[in-house]
Amino acid sequence: MQRKQQAVEGNRISNWMMFLLAAACGLIVANLYYAQTLVGPIHVALGLSSTTAGFIVTLTQIGYVVGLLFIVPISDIIENRRLMVVSLIITVCALLVAAFAPNATLFLTASLFIGVGSVVAQILVPYATYLASEEQRGRVVGNVMSGLLLGIMFARPLASFITSIWGWQAIFIMSAIVLTLLTILLSRALPERKPVPTVSYSKLILSLGTLFKQTPALRRRALYQACLFGAFSLFWTVVPLRLADDFGMSQQGIALFALVGVGGAIAAPIAGRLADKGWSKGLTGLAMVIAALSFLVIYIFQSHSTAALILLFISAITLDMAVSGNLVLGQRVIYSLGSEARGRLNGLFMSIFFIGGAIGSSLGGWSYALGGWNFSALIGVILPVLALLYYFTEKETGGDVRKKQNG
């Protein structure tokens, strides 16, 4: 009890609690990405055709969007810690079923529930803002999101390395063990957060449409991030193909390349701190420009030379920095719109830009098959440019939401 009080003493979140929430987000959200580099061995082991193998990742993503829309909003009406524990138990069970599934149907069903349960990460992020004071909110969001982004970036290479040693089932078993320990820790360490329910669950879900219509800042920020995350997803869908086809890299080499993206996570806490100083609008435009330039450089230089490979490495870092930084800026704005609907706002924001990511992945596979790296990189340039064109229509600084509310 004393530690729980220390975590929020003086309405300021402690460093140890910030670290716990960041680590938890990373460990949980990684479950969405483990299977991305394991589609090959999994579909062979389960007897899936090449056409249906895509469902291994797609069903996890669908489950995540379902959770964002129908589970995350519940955090606005019931005690958050209990909701997180129940969702994590579902995730652990689904991971174990996936690891020991004797057939494709059971594995794919488990994949769906892995996605549903993993939305705990998106309950933890707004939960962290409840523990934080107003002046440190951007920094808290940035630090917690750094943990989440590191989880995303480490998941793919980690899954590849573990699979090369013990087989693909091992990563699911290991994650189940880690999440079990994490569930116990969170149930003991997190302070209670019990919102006062003002509406029923059915009205809560129906209110999502109203929130979307009546909150222009939400629509704008979600569409910004959807374009950038779409470019991010396109890049990480096609870059393994380019590395293998044009540079002859093995799976282990591609896994090592995936580690490069980890460097981009440094942008999240920096963006959070600068957002606290009122720099949100300028940094948003900068993120879009960096994302577009990241693709433009690798579109122009398409040779198979060492220089082209180095540029690919650099672009991976700068693109990840742009996407992670803009994500924190967007969430900083979203969490300033009102505490009573923070769970629903976050669920809408995340689901919209996650759909953008799914579209980006689909565009990546389609464009690479149709026109190779040249066509894929061109689409990668276009997506952040579309966001930038929309950005130029913004009349009010996204970070000044409180001024609008007060004025």
Side-chain angles (χ1 to χ4, degrees), residues 209-338:
T210 303
L211 275 175
F212 182 75
K213 290 179 182 178
Q214 297 180 352
T215 316
L218 167 66
R219 295 196 302 272
R220 181 171 288 276
R221 284 287 166 177
L223 289 173
Y224 287 167
Q225 191 63 18
C227 288
L228 265 63
F229 195 61
F232 174 89
S233 298
L234 182 148
F235 179 88
W236 287 107
T237 297
V238 300
V239 80
L241 301 174
R242 170 149 162 79
L243 292 172
D245 295 344
D246 297 340
F247 296 99
M249 279 196 181
S250 65
Q251 283 299 315
Q252 286 199 341
I254 293 170
L256 287 171
F257 180 88
L259 288 172
V260 173
V262 174
I266 64 171
I270 295 172
R273 288 182 175 88
L274 293 177
D276 285 339
K277 296 180 180 180
W279 293 12
S280 291
K281 185 173 183 179
L283 289 172
T284 298
L286 179 62
M288 296 169 186
V289 170
I290 291 174
L293 289 176
S294 298
F295 266 105
L296 184 61
V297 168
I298 54 180
Y299 172 75
I300 295 173
F301 298 97
Q302 293 190 37
S303 67
H304 300 173
S305 65
T306 302
L309 182 59
I310 292 172
L311 286 175
L312 206 59
F313 273 81
I314 295 172
S315 293
I317 296 172
T318 55
L319 178 63
D320 288 1
M321 288 180 67
V323 175
S324 60
N326 191 67
L327 175 57
V328 171
L329 295 171
Q331 287 186 302
R332 177 68 169 82
V333 172
I334 297 304
Y335 297 150
S336 300
L337 294 174

Side-chain angles (χ1 to χ4, degrees), residues 67-84 87 119-120 122-127 130 193-197 201 204-205 335 339-347:
L68 286 169
L69 292 175
F70 297 102
I71 293 181
V72 172
I74 304 177
S75 64
D76 286 336
I77 59 174
I78 72 170
E79 204 280 305
N80 284 192
R81 187 176 60 187
R82 185 182 305 117
L83 176 61
M84 287 186 274
S87 298
V119 294
V120 172
Q122 295 310 322
I123 299 173
L124 280 168
V125 179
Y127 175 87
Y130 288 110
R193 193 246 154 191
K194 191 172 185 179
V196 178
Y201 177 70
L204 188 78
I205 298 303
Y335 297 150
S339 61
E340 71 283 350
R342 198 167 286 162
R344 281 169 286 168
L345 288 167
N346 188 57

Side-chain angles (χ1 to χ4, degrees), residues 124-158:
L124 280 168
V125 179
Y127 175 87
T129 68
Y130 288 110
L131 303 182
S133 60
E134 177 61 31
E135 64 271 13
Q136 66 170 172
R137 185 166 291 153
R139 181 170 68 90
V140 169
V141 172
N143 288 337
V144 174
M145 286 305 299
S146 290
L148 186 146
L149 291 165
L150 285 171
I152 292 173
M153 294 168 186
F154 273 117
R156 287 176 285 246
L158 179 63

